[in-house]
Each structure stands twice: as structure tokens, then as C-alpha cells.
Amino acid sequence: MPSRESYVVRRGKKQSRRRAEKQAGQNGSLFSAALALNVSAGSIPSLPDPTSDPRMHHAPSKPTSPASTFWKPIRSFALSQLTSLVRRATLRESDLAPKYEKVHNFKVHTFRGPHWCEYCANFMWGLIAQGVKCADCGLNVHKQCSKVVPNDCQPDLRHVKKVYSCDLTTLVKAHNTKRPMVVDMCIQEIEARGLQSEGLYRISGFSELIEDVKLAFDRDGEKVDISSNAYEDLNIITGALKLYFRELPIPLITYDAYPHFVETGKITDTEKRLESLHEALKLLPPAHCETLRYLMGHLKRVTEYEKDNLMTSENLGIVFGPTLMRAPGLDAMTALNDIRYQRLVVETLITNEDVLF
């Protein structure tokens, strides 16, 4: 006749199993039940190894308890799910946009009511123009503090209301992307329709429809429709892409880097020009360099169909040279003389895209 102690043990095991099954039914899966019971790899007791314990050589083998049999598949399932979650999280983390550094766009501002500096936490005195406010992220600081605030601007979509004529780094940080959406969407649409169109990027589309695409991007952002159903003429999409680069407040090849690129175009030796161009690319902000890399890769693919579209790297250099490179404060004659160097720079970037980037 079984003893009272064994009866109590069996009854406790049955109650534990029933509670676990009930919890699993409420959560909808055995994995959720395991989490609810705080079951993890370290909390589930493992079966004893007969070879590791010397006492087990002389003791008779005990039958596996029902509780151990019940938890074993749940433990395996839980570990497999956790491994899958870690793998997916790792993949998502690798796809995140890089951390581009951006300076604040401070402008003198008059605050209504009492305000404190968000950098030094001191009060902003005065009735008008008490401090400055970042037009991209909304940071409020003293004028003196704005000189020492780190370059950690995180643009807010509430402040960034346009796509065109918006600073490139500001746009990609506001939308948390590697490149501007205009560049990605236009290039993807152009390549989807085919690169055999004659005079691609050389022939302009209707300016009214190009302006319509611009307004659509400013209004709808990533939800804009630029497919062939909305714009049948491919030259409208290429025109919208070129217009985006022309309207950048800071060109893709920035004002600071412009002299270095022009000097690179003056070098006649091919190897030395590539070395100089490689050093000049390091002067570009990361977002500008990534966008330039993506664009040059696309233009390199365009030249692969030059027998059909009649667009060589030289022709594309003529089209994109003045679009990507602009220098303020130059007289008309100097700017005219720089056009040939702009063409050589863009042509070299396209031809040697796989080496320079």
C-alpha cells in the first residue's frame, strides 16, 4: 500500500502540471506558458548524468518523472525561439542607418514666457531674442552655449517639413535612412523601367510635371507614387532626381570639398588623379559620401547600356558635373572654366566607382 508521503508528492506533481497546462492555454502557446512560469535554460533542472555521479553506478536507475518529460520539449522550444529572436534582432541592428553627425541649425528666437537653457539649465533672461533655437530639432540654448553644444542634432519630422531644398544630412537623420528617399525611389524606378532609354538623363521632361513630382515628395514623402501609372515619361523621373541635387542648400560635393575636387580634375596622370580623388572623398560628410557612392553605382550601370541609351561616362559627366558640384562666390568666367574639371571628376567617379568607394 503506497505511503501518504508518496501520495502527497504525486498530488503535488499533478497540480503543478495542471497549472502549467492552464497557463499555456491562457497565453496561447507552450512558449508563453514557459515564460509565465519563469522557465529558462538555467531554471529547468536537467536529468542527472549516470556517468558523472559515482553513486549512480551502484544505485538502480530511477524512472523518468512525468514533470521532467513534460518540461523537456518546452525547454527545447523555448531555446529555439530565443535563438531565433536573437538572430532577427542582430539582422535588424545591422540594417539600421549609420549614425551621421550633424551640427545644429541655430537661429535667434524670441521665447514666450519663462525658458531655461537646455544645455546649462540656467534661465534665459530678456524680453526678446533671449536665445537661439535649432530649426531642425527644436533645441533651446543660450547664444553663448550654442558655441559649445556638441554636434548631436536629431532632426524632428515636425520641424523638417520639406524634402526638396532640405539639407541632405538633416533629411536622412529625420527619416532614419542611409540616403534621401528621393534618390532611392527615383533610381529604383528608373532601373525598374530599364536603362535602355535613349538620351537617359540628357533629355529633359516637362518642367510642369517635374515640379509636380517635387511637390508630391514634399507633401507625401515616401508614400508618393512615381510609377508609370502616374508619370509615363521616364524623363520626368530623371528630371526630378536632377532637380533634387540642384536644389540642395549644400551640394552633394560640398562647398568645403569643392576646391580639392577641382584640383583633382586638373591632374593629368590617371593614377595620381585616383589617389587625389580618394583623399578628396574623405572630406565629404558621411551622408553625402554614401549618397554619392549610390548615385555613381547607378550611373555606372547606365553606362553598361551605352549602345542603347547613348550615354557614356563622359556624357553623364557633362550632365551631372554642374549638378553635383557648385562653388559660391565665383565669378562667371571662373565658373565657366571649372565646368570641364567638374566633368572630368564625375567621369572619373563613374568609371572607377568600384575602386574609389
Side-chain angles (χ1 to χ4, degrees), residues 102-143:
K102 181 188 178 306
V103 298
H104 290 275
N105 183 19
F106 286 121
K107 295 182 179 179
V108 178
H109 190 77
T110 298
F111 299 96
R112 295 181 180 179
H115 269 76
W116 283 261
C117 176
E118 297 181 33
Y119 181 76
C120 68
N122 290 326
F123 186 75
M124 293 184 176
W125 297 96
L127 299 177
I128 59 173
Q130 303 96 325
V132 293
K133 181 176 182 178
C134 179
D136 298 330
C137 69
L139 181 69
N140 305 321
V141 296
H142 289 113
K143 294 179 182 178

Side-chain angles (χ1 to χ4, degrees), residues 195-200 304-311:
L195 302 176
Q196 296 85 2
S197 178
E198 183 176 344
L200 191 66
E304 294 175 359
Y305 297 89
E306 62 180 36
K307 293 183 179 179
D308 300 316
N309 56 37
L310 305 179
M311 294 302 292

Side-chain angles (χ1 to χ4, degrees), residues 86-99 178:
V86 171
R87 187 185 304 112
R88 287 197 295 270
T90 304
L91 291 175
R92 283 197 297 267
E93 185 178 359
S94 63
D95 293 336
L96 291 177
K99 302 296 183 182
K178 290 184 178 181

Side-chain angles (χ1 to χ4, degrees), residues 187-197 225-237:
I187 288 179
Q188 290 170 8
E189 182 65 25
I190 293 168
E191 295 189 353
R193 298 196 197 183
L195 302 176
Q196 296 85 2
S197 178
D225 181 17
I226 58 174
S227 64
S228 57
N229 297 328
Y231 303 97
E232 185 177 358
D233 186 6
L234 184 60
N235 296 318
I236 296 173
I237 309 303

